[in-house]
Amino acid sequence: MIKLYEYPSSGNCYKIRLLLTQLEIPFERITVDILKKESRTPEFLSKNPNGRVPLLELEPGKFLPESNAVLYYFSQDTDFFPTDKFEQAQVMQWMFFEQYSHEPYIATSRYWISIVGKPEEYKQALEQKQPLGYAALGVMENQLKDHPFFGGDHYTIADICLFAYTHVAHEGGFDLTHFPAISAWINRVKEQPNYISITE
Amino acid sequence: MIKLYEYPSSGNCYKIRLLLTQLEIPFERITVDILKKESRTPEFLSKNPNGRVPLLELEPGKFLPESNAVLYYFSQDTDFFPTDKFEQAQVMQWMFFEQYSHEPYIATSRYWISIVGKPEEYKQALEQKQPLGYAALGVMENQLKDHPFFGGDHYTIADICLFAYTHVAHEGGFDLTHFPAISAWINRVKEQPNYISITE
């Protein structure tokens, strides 16, 4: 069976659980406690030299890291990835946006505040991340004003990717009150078949 | 004709010039001076709400941002993207690695030192980025010890993606002397047909 090495409250790990569950692909969950640096042990580094979770083991010894690469792998030839070439590129565009312009601000703030639980220690860095995180939310709001989903008219891995940390952005100190299109999209994602929450 | 909105010395913009040249696809270059904040004007934001270059205009009004999404778009059904599903996912893995674990340290250091030209102003931030940039180079060296390229045995968009900022890492204060596998790979990339340099 496919093995998912994960830290359960990580949005990057949740992305994979959500897609695999929606695709009805069974998998085994193996917790790697990043707070105890379990992703930096020699044993784990032999599986993923970049020392990060999530990590997927497709078959014994066959590993795939990077949450969005895993989403890509499993979504091919399914309804979670478009068939049109330009729409495919737009899905990729939003996934790279997520890793570069969204995750480093919104996910990292949540990590320091709600996972590590030391907002005071990271006060200055958290303040620096606020405008950049809100800028990313502004770009998302702009897209969602005219489109129900990020890949266009259909729910794709771009939505799963961006949903993971956006729907828990408040845990990183971001207020979604003034982003009505994002809030409506969050509800649309939650209504998708086989949806599971990040705490499941 | 395809239009590339770019800041010429940006590695993200160079990625696209390199691939399009290697594919022998003609394109028009339009300079957007990011130092003069030309990517944040209302006119440019109407083309790319995220306010970044590179931005590709495939046909009038049809835009695609995110360098790696553009690489993905043009590489489909060419030798620059593998046919095997797992190898495709590995290419994506390295491209997400580049945007998350490599570019924010190696490219940003080069930007502050060699593009903005203010290493003293960013001294503390540059020091913080050094170990993280070297960690990314270590992960790359580990891969290249056993493989000629990032996508396996063949030159793909994963190589173009990682080459862009790695081969000019010294402009960001990174010394590649102790990374012999990376240095050999840089030479292999430079030997590819239709190779152009970042200053062309």
Side-chain angles (χ1 to χ4, degrees), chain A residues 12 49-50 52 58 62-66 68-69 72-74 76-77 81 85-86 88-90 92-97 99-101 103-105 108 132 135-136 139 142, chain B residues 12 49-50 52 58 62-66 68-69 72-74 76-77 81 85-86 88-90 92-97 99-101 103-105 108 132 135-136 139 142:
Chain A
N12 284 328
N50 201 24
R52 294 180 194 276
L58 290 159
K62 189 174 183 180
F63 296 102
L64 185 62
E66 296 291 339
N68 290 352
Y72 178 82
Y73 180 79
F74 284 105
Q76 297 306 291
D77 306 316
F81 198 72
K85 268 191 69 170
F86 184 63
Q88 290 177 349
Q90 287 180 307
M92 301 316 303
Q93 166 209 325
W94 285 109
M95 292 173 76
F96 284 110
F97 164 85
Q99 285 288 286
Y100 193 81
S101 300
E103 203 274 8
Y105 311 114
T108 305
L132 298 161
V139 173
N142 185 67
Chain B
N12 284 329
N50 201 23
R52 296 180 193 275
L58 289 159
K62 189 174 181 180
F63 296 101
L64 185 61
E66 296 291 338
N68 290 353
Y72 179 82
Y73 180 78
F74 284 105
Q76 297 306 291
D77 306 317
F81 199 71
K85 267 191 68 169
F86 184 64
Q88 290 176 350
Q90 287 179 307
M92 301 317 302
Q93 166 208 325
W94 285 110
M95 293 174 73
F96 283 110
F97 164 84
Q99 285 288 288
Y100 193 81
S101 299
E103 203 274 8
Y105 311 114
T108 305
L132 297 160
V139 173
N142 185 67

Coordinates of all heavy atoms in Angstrom, one line a residue, chain A residues 12 49-50 52 58 62-66 68-69 72-74 76-77 81 85-86 88-90 92-97 99-101 103-105 108 132 135-136 139 142, chain B residues 12 49-50 52 58 62-66 68-69 72-74 76-77 81 85-86 88-90 92-97 99-101 103-105 108 132 135-136 139 142:
Chain A
N12 N 0.5 21.1 3.8 CA 1.1 20.4 2.6 C 0.8 18.9 2.7 O 0.6 18.2 1.6 CB 2.6 20.6 2.6 CG 3.0 22.0 2.1 OD1 2.3 22.5 1.3 ND2 4.1 22.5 2.6
P49 N 16.3 13.5 0.8 CA 17.5 14.3 1.1 C 17.1 15.8 1.5 O 17.9 16.4 2.1 CB 18.3 14.3 -0.1 CG 17.9 13.0 -0.8 CD 16.5 12.9 -0.5
N50 N 15.9 16.2 1.1 CA 15.6 17.6 1.4 C 15.0 17.7 2.8 O 14.7 18.8 3.3 CB 14.6 18.2 0.4 CG 14.5 19.7 0.4 OD1 15.5 20.3 0.8 ND2 13.4 20.2 -0.1
R52 N 12.1 17.0 4.3 CA 10.8 17.6 4.5 C 9.7 16.5 4.4 O 9.8 15.5 3.7 CB 10.5 18.7 3.5 CG 11.4 19.9 3.6 CD 11.1 20.9 2.6 NE 12.2 21.9 2.4 CZ 12.3 23.0 3.2 NH1 11.4 23.2 4.1 NH2 13.3 23.8 3.0
L58 N 5.6 5.2 -3.0 CA 4.7 4.6 -3.9 C 4.7 3.1 -3.9 O 3.7 2.4 -4.0 CB 5.0 5.1 -5.3 CG 4.6 6.6 -5.6 CD1 5.4 7.1 -6.8 CD2 3.1 6.7 -5.8
K62 N 10.5 3.5 -3.5 CA 10.2 4.5 -4.6 C 9.5 5.7 -4.0 O 8.3 5.7 -3.7 CB 9.3 3.8 -5.6 CG 9.1 4.6 -6.9 CD 8.4 3.8 -7.9 CE 8.2 4.5 -9.3 NZ 7.5 3.8 -10.3
F63 N 10.3 6.8 -3.8 CA 9.8 8.0 -3.1 C 9.5 9.1 -4.0 O 10.1 9.3 -5.0 CB 10.9 8.4 -2.0 CG 11.1 7.4 -1.0 CD1 12.2 6.5 -1.1 CD2 10.2 7.2 0.1 CE1 12.5 5.6 -0.1 CE2 10.5 6.2 1.0 CZ 11.6 5.4 1.0
L64 N 8.5 9.9 -3.6 CA 8.2 11.2 -4.2 C 7.9 12.2 -3.2 O 6.9 12.2 -2.5 CB 7.0 11.0 -5.2 CG 6.6 12.2 -6.0 CD1 7.7 12.6 -7.0 CD2 5.3 11.9 -6.8
P65 N 8.8 13.3 -3.1 CA 8.5 14.4 -2.2 C 7.8 15.5 -2.9 O 7.6 15.4 -4.1 CB 10.0 14.8 -1.8 CG 10.8 14.4 -2.9 CD 10.2 13.3 -3.7
E66 N 7.6 16.6 -2.2 CA 7.0 17.8 -2.7 C 5.5 17.6 -2.9 O 5.0 17.0 -3.8 CB 7.6 18.3 -4.0 CG 9.1 18.8 -3.9 CD 9.3 20.0 -3.1 OE1 8.3 20.8 -3.0 OE2 10.4 20.2 -2.6
N68 N 3.0 19.3 -4.1 CA 2.4 19.6 -5.3 C 2.8 18.7 -6.4 O 2.0 18.4 -7.4 CB 2.7 21.1 -5.7 CG 1.9 22.1 -4.8 OD1 1.1 21.7 -4.0 ND2 2.2 23.4 -4.9
A69 N 4.0 18.1 -6.4 CA 4.4 17.1 -7.3 C 3.6 15.8 -7.1 O 3.2 15.1 -8.1 CB 5.9 16.8 -7.2
Y72 N 0.2 16.4 -8.5 CA 0.3 16.3 -10.0 C 0.3 14.8 -10.4 O -0.5 14.4 -11.3 CB 1.6 17.0 -10.5 CG 1.8 16.9 -12.0 CD1 1.2 17.7 -12.8 CD2 2.6 15.9 -12.5 CE1 1.4 17.6 -14.2 CE2 2.8 15.8 -13.9 CZ 2.2 16.6 -14.7 OH 2.4 16.5 -16.1
Y73 N 1.1 14.0 -9.7 CA 1.2 12.6 -10.1 C -0.2 11.9 -10.1 O -0.5 11.2 -11.0 CB 2.2 11.9 -9.1 CG 2.4 10.5 -9.4 CD1 3.2 10.0 -10.4 CD2 1.8 9.5 -8.6 CE1 3.4 8.7 -10.7 CE2 2.0 8.1 -8.9 CZ 2.8 7.7 -9.9 OH 3.0 6.4 -10.2
F74 N -0.9 12.1 -9.0 CA -2.1 11.3 -8.8 C -3.3 11.9 -9.6 O -4.3 11.2 -9.9 CB -2.5 11.2 -7.3 CG -1.7 10.2 -6.6 CD1 -0.7 10.6 -5.7 CD2 -1.9 8.8 -6.8 CE1 0.1 9.6 -5.1 CE2 -1.1 7.9 -6.2 CZ -0.1 8.3 -5.3
Q76 N -3.2 13.0 -12.7 CA -3.1 12.8 -14.2 C -4.2 11.8 -14.6 O -4.4 10.8 -14.0 CB -1.7 12.3 -14.6 CG -0.6 13.3 -14.3 CD -0.9 14.7 -14.9 OE1 -0.9 14.9 -16.1 NE2 -1.2 15.7 -14.0
D77 N -4.9 12.2 -15.7 CA -5.9 11.3 -16.3 C -7.1 11.2 -15.3 O -7.8 10.1 -15.4 CB -5.4 10.0 -16.7 CG -4.2 10.1 -17.6 OD1 -4.2 10.9 -18.6 OD2 -3.2 9.4 -17.4
F81 N -7.5 17.2 -13.0 CA -6.5 17.9 -13.8 C -7.2 18.1 -15.2 O -7.8 17.2 -15.7 CB -5.3 17.0 -14.0 CG -4.1 17.8 -14.4 CD1 -3.4 18.7 -13.6 CD2 -3.6 17.7 -15.7 CE1 -2.3 19.5 -14.0 CE2 -2.5 18.4 -16.2 CZ -1.8 19.3 -15.3
K85 N -4.6 22.1 -22.8 CA -3.2 22.4 -22.5 C -3.0 23.8 -21.7 O -2.2 23.9 -20.8 CB -2.4 22.5 -23.8 CG -1.8 21.2 -24.1 CD -0.8 21.3 -25.3 CE 0.4 22.1 -24.8 NZ 1.5 22.0 -25.9
F86 N -3.8 24.8 -22.1 CA -3.6 26.1 -21.5 C -4.2 26.0 -20.0 O -3.6 26.6 -19.1 CB -4.3 27.2 -22.3 CG -4.1 28.6 -21.7 CD1 -2.8 29.1 -21.6 CD2 -5.2 29.3 -21.2 CE1 -2.6 30.4 -21.0 CE2 -5.0 30.6 -20.7 CZ -3.7 31.1 -20.6
Q88 N -4.2 23.4 -18.2 CA -3.2 22.6 -17.4 C -2.1 23.6 -16.9 O -1.7 23.5 -15.8 CB -2.6 21.5 -18.3 CG -3.5 20.4 -18.6 CD -2.9 19.4 -19.6 OE1 -1.9 19.6 -20.2 NE2 -3.6 18.3 -19.8
A89 N -1.7 24.4 -17.8 CA -0.6 25.4 -17.5 C -1.1 26.4 -16.4 O -0.4 26.8 -15.5 CB -0.2 26.2 -18.7
Q90 N -2.4 26.7 -16.4 CA -3.0 27.6 -15.4 C -3.0 26.9 -14.1 O -2.8 27.6 -13.0 CB -4.4 28.1 -15.8 CG -4.3 29.1 -17.0 CD -5.7 29.6 -17.4 OE1 -6.6 28.8 -17.7 NE2 -5.9 30.9 -17.5
M92 N -0.9 24.7 -13.1 CA 0.5 24.7 -12.6 C 0.8 26.1 -12.1 O 1.5 26.3 -11.1 CB 1.4 24.3 -13.8 CG 1.2 23.0 -14.4 SD 0.9 21.6 -13.2 CE 2.4 21.7 -12.2
Q93 N 0.4 27.1 -12.9 CA 0.6 28.5 -12.5 C 0.2 28.8 -11.0 O 0.9 29.3 -10.2 CB -0.1 29.5 -13.4 CG -0.3 30.9 -12.9 CD -1.5 31.6 -13.5 OE1 -2.0 31.3 -14.6 NE2 -2.1 32.4 -12.7
W94 N -1.0 28.3 -10.7 CA -1.5 28.6 -9.3 C -0.8 27.7 -8.3 O -0.6 28.1 -7.1 CB -3.0 28.3 -9.3 CG -3.8 29.4 -9.9 CD1 -4.5 29.4 -11.1 CD2 -3.9 30.8 -9.4 NE1 -5.0 30.6 -11.4 CE2 -4.7 31.5 -10.4 CE3 -3.5 31.4 -8.3 CZ2 -5.0 32.8 -10.2 CZ3 -3.8 32.8 -8.1 CH2 -4.6 33.5 -9.1
M95 N -0.3 26.6 -8.7 CA 0.4 25.7 -7.7 C 1.8 26.3 -7.5 O 2.3 26.3 -6.3 CB 0.5 24.3 -8.2 CG -0.9 23.7 -8.2 SD -1.0 22.0 -9.0 CE -0.2 21.0 -7.7
F96 N 2.4 26.9 -8.5 CA 3.7 27.6 -8.2 C 3.5 28.9 -7.4 O 4.3 29.2 -6.6 CB 4.5 27.8 -9.5 CG 5.1 26.6 -10.1 CD1 4.6 26.0 -11.2 CD2 6.2 26.0 -9.4 CE1 5.2 24.8 -11.7 CE2 6.8 24.8 -9.9 CZ 6.3 24.2 -11.0
F97 N 2.4 29.6 -7.7 CA 2.0 30.7 -7.0 C 1.9 30.4 -5.5 O 2.4 31.1 -4.6 CB 0.7 31.3 -7.5 CG 0.0 32.3 -6.6 CD1 0.4 33.6 -6.5 CD2 -1.0 31.8 -5.7 CE1 -0.3 34.5 -5.7 CE2 -1.6 32.7 -4.8 CZ -1.3 34.0 -4.8
Q99 N 3.3 27.9 -3.8 CA 4.6 27.6 -3.1 C 5.5 28.8 -2.9 O 6.3 28.9 -2.0 CB 5.3 26.5 -3.8 CG 4.7 25.1 -3.6 CD 4.9 24.6 -2.2 OE1 6.0 24.2 -1.8 NE2 3.9 24.6 -1.4
Y100 N 5.4 29.8 -3.8 CA 6.3 30.9 -3.8 C 5.7 32.2 -3.1 O 6.4 32.8 -2.4 CB 6.7 31.3 -5.2 CG 7.9 32.2 -5.2 CD1 9.2 31.8 -5.0 CD2 7.7 33.6 -5.4 CE1 10.3 32.6 -5.0 CE2 8.8 34.5 -5.3 CZ 10.1 34.0 -5.2 OH 11.2 34.8 -5.1
S101 N 4.4 32.5 -3.4 CA 3.8 33.7 -3.0 C 2.8 33.6 -1.9 O 2.3 34.6 -1.3 CB 3.1 34.4 -4.2 OG 4.0 34.7 -5.2
E103 N 2.4 30.2 0.5 CA 2.8 29.3 1.6 C 3.8 29.9 2.5 O 3.7 29.8 3.7 CB 3.3 28.0 1.0 CG 3.2 26.7 1.9 CD 4.5 26.6 2.7 OE1 5.3 27.5 2.8 OE2 4.6 25.6 3.4
P104 N 4.9 30.6 2.0 CA 5.9 31.1 2.9 C 5.4 32.2 3.9 O 6.1 32.4 4.9 CB 7.0 31.7 1.9 CG 6.7 31.0 0.6 CD 5.3 30.8 0.6
Y105 N 4.3 32.7 3.6 CA 3.7 33.8 4.4 C 2.6 33.2 5.3 O 2.6 33.3 6.5 CB 3.3 35.0 3.6 CG 4.4 35.4 2.6 CD1 4.3 35.3 1.3 CD2 5.6 35.8 3.1 CE1 5.3 35.6 0.4 CE2 6.7 36.1 2.3 CZ 6.5 36.0 0.9 OH 7.6 36.2 0.1
T108 N 3.6 29.7 7.0 CA 4.7 29.9 8.1 C 4.2 30.6 9.3 O 4.5 30.3 10.4 CB 5.9 30.6 7.4 OG1 6.3 29.8 6.3 CG2 7.1 30.7 8.4
L132 N 2.6 40.5 3.0 CA 2.9 39.6 1.8 C 1.8 38.5 1.8 O 1.3 38.1 0.7 CB 4.3 39.0 2.0 CG 5.4 40.1 1.9 CD1 6.7 39.5 2.5 CD2 5.6 40.5 0.5
A135 N -1.3 40.2 0.4 CA -1.1 40.4 -1.0 C -1.5 39.1 -1.8 O -2.2 39.1 -2.8 CB 0.3 40.8 -1.4
A136 N -1.1 37.9 -1.3 CA -1.4 36.7 -1.9 C -2.9 36.4 -1.9 O -3.5 36.0 -2.9 CB -0.7 35.5 -1.2
V139 N -4.6 38.5 -4.6 CA -4.5 37.9 -5.9 C -5.5 36.8 -6.0 O -6.2 36.6 -7.1 CB -3.1 37.4 -6.1 CG1 -3.0 36.6 -7.4 CG2 -2.1 38.5 -6.2
N142 N -9.1 38.2 -6.4 CA -9.2 38.8 -7.8 C -9.6 37.7 -8.8 O -10.5 37.9 -9.6 CB -7.9 39.4 -8.2 CG -8.0 40.1 -9.5 OD1 -8.7 41.1 -9.7 ND2 -7.3 39.6 -10.5
Chain B
N12 N 14.5 33.8 -13.6 CA 13.2 33.3 -13.9 C 12.8 33.6 -15.4 O 12.2 32.8 -16.0 CB 12.2 33.8 -12.9 CG 12.2 33.1 -11.6 OD1 12.5 31.9 -11.5 ND2 11.9 33.8 -10.5
P49 N -2.0 40.1 -12.1 CA -2.3 40.6 -10.8 C -1.3 40.4 -9.7 O -1.3 41.0 -8.7 CB -3.7 39.9 -10.4 CG -4.2 39.5 -11.8 CD -3.0 39.2 -12.6
N50 N -0.4 39.4 -9.9 CA 0.6 39.1 -8.9 C 1.8 40.0 -9.1 O 2.7 40.0 -8.2 CB 1.0 37.6 -9.0 CG 1.7 37.2 -7.7 OD1 1.5 37.7 -6.6 ND2 2.5 36.1 -7.8
R52 N 4.4 40.3 -11.1 CA 5.8 39.8 -11.3 C 6.1 39.5 -12.7 O 5.2 39.2 -13.5 CB 5.9 38.4 -10.5 CG 5.8 38.6 -9.0 CD 5.9 37.2 -8.3 NE 5.5 37.3 -6.9 CZ 6.3 37.7 -5.9 NH1 7.5 38.0 -6.1 NH2 5.8 37.7 -4.7
L58 N 0.6 34.8 -24.8 CA 0.5 33.8 -25.9 C -0.1 34.3 -27.1 O 0.3 34.0 -28.2 CB -0.2 32.5 -25.4 CG 0.6 31.7 -24.3 CD1 -0.4 30.9 -23.5 CD2 1.6 30.9 -25.0
K62 N -4.0 36.9 -23.8 CA -4.0 35.6 -23.2 C -2.7 35.4 -22.4 O -1.6 35.2 -23.1 CB -4.2 34.5 -24.2 CG -4.3 33.1 -23.7 CD -4.7 32.1 -24.8 CE -4.9 30.7 -24.3 NZ -5.2 29.8 -25.4
F63 N -2.7 35.6 -21.1 CA -1.4 35.7 -20.3 C -1.2 34.4 -19.5 O -2.1 33.8 -19.0 CB -1.5 36.9 -19.4 CG -1.6 38.2 -20.1 CD1 -2.8 38.9 -20.2 CD2 -0.5 38.8 -20.6 CE1 -2.9 40.1 -20.9 CE2 -0.6 40.0 -21.3 CZ -1.8 40.7 -21.4
L64 N 0.1 34.1 -19.3 CA 0.5 33.0 -18.4 C 1.7 33.5 -17.6 O 2.8 33.7 -18.2 CB 0.9 31.8 -19.3 CG 1.2 30.5 -18.5 CD1 0.0 30.1 -17.6 CD2 1.7 29.4 -19.4
P65 N 1.5 33.7 -16.3 CA 2.6 34.0 -15.4 C 3.3 32.8 -14.8 O 2.8 31.6 -15.1 CB 2.0 34.9 -14.3 CG 0.6 34.4 -14.2 CD 0.2 33.7 -15.6
E66 N 4.3 33.0 -14.0 CA 5.0 31.9 -13.3 C 5.9 31.2 -14.3 O 5.5 30.3 -15.1 CB 4.1 30.9 -12.6 CG 3.2 31.4 -11.5 CD 4.0 31.8 -10.3 OE1 5.1 31.3 -10.1 OE2 3.5 32.7 -9.5
N68 N 7.9 28.6 -14.1 CA 7.9 27.2 -14.2 C 6.6 26.7 -14.9 O 6.6 25.6 -15.5 CB 8.1 26.5 -12.8 CG 9.5 26.7 -12.3 OD1 10.4 27.2 -13.1 ND2 9.8 26.3 -11.1
A69 N 5.5 27.4 -14.8 CA 4.3 27.1 -15.5 C 4.5 27.3 -17.0 O 4.0 26.5 -17.8 CB 3.1 27.9 -15.0
Y72 N 6.5 24.4 -18.3 CA 5.6 23.3 -18.4 C 4.8 23.3 -19.7 O 4.7 22.4 -20.4 CB 4.7 23.2 -17.1 CG 3.7 22.1 -17.2 CD1 4.1 20.8 -16.8 CD2 2.4 22.3 -17.6 CE1 3.2 19.7 -16.8 CE2 1.5 21.2 -17.7 CZ 1.9 19.9 -17.3 OH 1.1 18.9 -17.3
Y73 N 4.2 24.5 -19.9 CA 3.3 24.7 -21.1 C 4.1 24.3 -22.4 O 3.6 23.6 -23.2 CB 2.8 26.1 -21.1 CG 1.9 26.4 -22.3 CD1 0.6 26.0 -22.2 CD2 2.3 27.1 -23.4 CE1 -0.3 26.2 -23.3 CE2 1.5 27.3 -24.4 CZ 0.2 26.9 -24.4 OH -0.7 27.2 -25.4
F74 N 5.3 24.9 -22.5 CA 5.9 24.7 -23.8 C 6.7 23.4 -24.0 O 7.0 23.0 -25.1 CB 6.9 25.9 -24.1 CG 6.3 27.1 -24.5 CD1 6.1 28.2 -23.6 CD2 5.7 27.3 -25.8 CE1 5.5 29.4 -24.0 CE2 5.1 28.4 -26.1 CZ 4.9 29.5 -25.3
Q76 N 5.5 20.4 -23.1 CA 4.6 19.3 -23.3 C 4.7 18.7 -24.7 O 4.8 19.5 -25.7 CB 3.1 19.7 -23.0 CG 2.9 20.1 -21.6 CD 3.3 19.1 -20.6 OE1 2.8 18.0 -20.4 NE2 4.4 19.4 -19.8
D77 N 4.8 17.4 -24.8 CA 5.0 16.7 -26.1 C 6.3 17.1 -26.8 O 6.3 17.1 -28.0 CB 3.8 17.0 -27.0 CG 2.4 16.7 -26.3 OD1 2.4 15.6 -25.7 OD2 1.5 17.5 -26.4
F81 N 10.3 17.2 -21.7 CA 9.4 16.7 -20.7 C 9.3 15.2 -20.9 O 9.1 14.7 -22.0 CB 8.0 17.3 -20.7 CG 7.3 17.2 -19.5 CD1 7.6 17.9 -18.3 CD2 6.2 16.3 -19.4 CE1 6.9 17.8 -17.2 CE2 5.4 16.2 -18.2 CZ 5.8 16.9 -17.1
K85 N 5.2 8.5 -16.4 CA 4.5 9.3 -15.4 C 5.2 9.6 -14.2 O 5.1 10.7 -13.6 CB 3.2 8.5 -15.0 CG 2.0 8.8 -15.8 CD 0.7 8.2 -15.2 CE 0.4 8.9 -13.9 NZ -1.0 8.5 -13.4
F86 N 6.0 8.6 -13.7 CA 6.8 8.9 -12.5 C 7.9 9.9 -12.8 O 8.2 10.8 -11.9 CB 7.3 7.6 -11.9 CG 8.1 7.8 -10.6 CD1 7.4 8.2 -9.5 CD2 9.4 7.5 -10.5 CE1 8.0 8.4 -8.3 CE2 10.1 7.7 -9.3 CZ 9.4 8.1 -8.2
Q88 N 7.8 12.2 -15.0 CA 7.1 13.5 -15.1 C 7.0 14.2 -13.7 O 7.2 15.3 -13.5 CB 5.7 13.4 -15.7 CG 5.8 13.0 -17.2 CD 4.4 12.8 -17.8 OE1 3.4 12.7 -17.1 NE2 4.4 12.7 -19.1
A89 N 6.5 13.3 -12.7 CA 6.3 13.8 -11.4 C 7.7 14.2 -10.7 O 7.7 15.2 -10.0 CB 5.7 12.7 -10.5
Q90 N 8.7 13.5 -11.1 CA 10.1 13.9 -10.6 C 10.5 15.2 -11.1 O 11.1 16.0 -10.4 CB 11.1 12.8 -10.9 CG 10.9 11.6 -10.0 CD 11.9 10.5 -10.3 OE1 12.0 10.1 -11.5 NE2 12.6 10.0 -9.3
M92 N 8.5 17.6 -11.9 CA 7.7 18.6 -11.1 C 8.3 18.8 -9.7 O 8.3 19.9 -9.2 CB 6.2 18.2 -11.0 CG 5.5 18.0 -12.3 SD 5.7 19.2 -13.6 CE 5.2 20.7 -12.7
Q93 N 8.7 17.7 -9.1 CA 9.3 17.7 -7.8 C 10.5 18.7 -7.8 O 10.5 19.5 -6.9 CB 9.8 16.3 -7.4 CG 10.7 16.2 -6.2 CD 11.6 15.0 -6.4 OE1 11.2 13.9 -6.9 NE2 12.8 15.2 -5.9
W94 N 11.3 18.6 -8.7 CA 12.5 19.5 -8.7 C 12.1 20.9 -9.0 O 12.8 21.9 -8.6 CB 13.6 19.0 -9.7 CG 14.3 17.8 -9.2 CD1 14.2 16.5 -9.6 CD2 15.2 17.7 -8.1 NE1 14.9 15.6 -8.9 CE2 15.6 16.4 -7.9 CE3 15.7 18.7 -7.2 CZ2 16.5 16.0 -6.9 CZ3 16.6 18.3 -6.2 CH2 16.9 16.9 -6.1
M95 N 11.1 21.1 -9.8 CA 10.7 22.5 -10.1 C 10.0 23.1 -8.9 O 10.2 24.3 -8.6 CB 9.8 22.5 -11.3 CG 10.5 22.1 -12.6 SD 9.5 21.9 -14.1 CE 9.2 23.6 -14.4
F96 N 9.3 22.4 -8.1 CA 8.7 22.9 -6.9 C 9.8 23.1 -5.8 O 9.8 24.1 -5.1 CB 7.6 22.0 -6.3 CG 6.3 22.2 -7.1 CD1 5.8 21.2 -7.9 CD2 5.6 23.4 -7.0 CE1 4.6 21.4 -8.6 CE2 4.4 23.6 -7.7 CZ 3.9 22.6 -8.5
F97 N 10.8 22.2 -5.8 CA 12.0 22.4 -4.9 C 12.6 23.7 -5.3 O 13.0 24.4 -4.4 CB 12.9 21.2 -5.2 CG 14.3 21.4 -4.7 CD1 14.7 21.2 -3.3 CD2 15.3 21.8 -5.5 CE1 16.0 21.4 -2.9 CE2 16.6 22.0 -5.1 CZ 16.9 21.8 -3.7
Q99 N 11.5 26.5 -6.6 CA 10.7 27.7 -6.2 C 10.7 27.8 -4.7 O 10.6 28.9 -4.2 CB 9.3 27.7 -6.8 CG 9.3 28.0 -8.3 CD 9.6 29.5 -8.5 OE1 8.9 30.4 -8.3 NE2 10.8 29.8 -9.1
Y100 N 10.7 26.7 -3.9 CA 10.5 26.8 -2.5 C 11.8 26.7 -1.7 O 12.0 27.5 -0.7 CB 9.6 25.7 -2.0 CG 9.1 25.9 -0.6 CD1 8.0 26.7 -0.3 CD2 9.7 25.3 0.5 CE1 7.6 27.0 1.0 CE2 9.3 25.5 1.8 CZ 8.2 26.3 2.0 OH 7.8 26.6 3.3
S101 N 12.7 25.9 -2.1 CA 13.9 25.6 -1.3 C 15.2 26.2 -1.9 O 16.2 26.2 -1.3 CB 14.1 24.1 -1.1 OG 13.0 23.5 -0.5
E103 N 15.3 29.0 -4.9 CA 15.2 30.4 -5.4 C 15.1 31.5 -4.3 O 15.8 32.5 -4.4 CB 13.9 30.5 -6.3 CG 13.9 31.6 -7.4 CD 13.4 32.9 -6.8 OE1 13.1 33.0 -5.6 OE2 13.2 33.8 -7.7
P104 N 14.3 31.3 -3.2 CA 14.2 32.3 -2.2 C 15.6 32.6 -1.5 O 15.7 33.7 -0.9 CB 13.2 31.7 -1.2 CG 12.5 30.7 -2.0 CD 13.4 30.1 -3.0
Y105 N 16.5 31.7 -1.6 CA 17.8 31.9 -1.0 C 18.9 32.3 -2.0 O 19.6 33.3 -1.8 CB 18.2 30.7 -0.2 CG 17.1 30.2 0.7 CD1 16.4 29.0 0.4 CD2 16.6 31.0 1.7 CE1 15.3 28.6 1.2 CE2 15.5 30.7 2.4 CZ 14.9 29.5 2.2 OH 13.8 29.1 2.9
T108 N 17.5 35.4 -4.4 CA 17.3 36.6 -3.7 C 18.6 37.2 -3.3 O 18.8 38.4 -3.3 CB 16.4 36.3 -2.5 OG1 15.2 35.8 -3.0 CG2 16.1 37.6 -1.7
L132 N 20.8 28.2 4.2 CA 19.6 27.6 3.5 C 19.9 27.4 2.0 O 19.5 26.4 1.4 CB 18.4 28.5 3.7 CG 18.0 28.6 5.1 CD1 17.1 29.9 5.4 CD2 17.2 27.4 5.6
A135 N 22.2 24.5 1.8 CA 21.4 23.2 2.0 C 20.8 22.8 0.6 O 20.8 21.6 0.3 CB 20.3 23.5 3.0
A136 N 20.2 23.8 -0.1 CA 19.6 23.5 -1.4 C 20.7 22.9 -2.4 O 20.5 21.9 -3.1 CB 19.0 24.7 -2.0
V139 N 21.4 19.3 -1.6 CA 20.4 18.4 -2.1 C 20.6 18.2 -3.6 O 20.5 17.0 -4.1 CB 19.0 18.9 -1.8 CG1 17.9 18.1 -2.5 CG2 18.7 19.0 -0.3
N142 N 23.7 15.9 -4.2 CA 23.3 14.5 -3.9 C 22.7 13.8 -5.1 O 23.0 12.7 -5.4 CB 22.4 14.5 -2.6 CG 22.1 13.1 -2.2 OD1 23.0 12.4 -1.7 ND2 20.8 12.8 -2.3

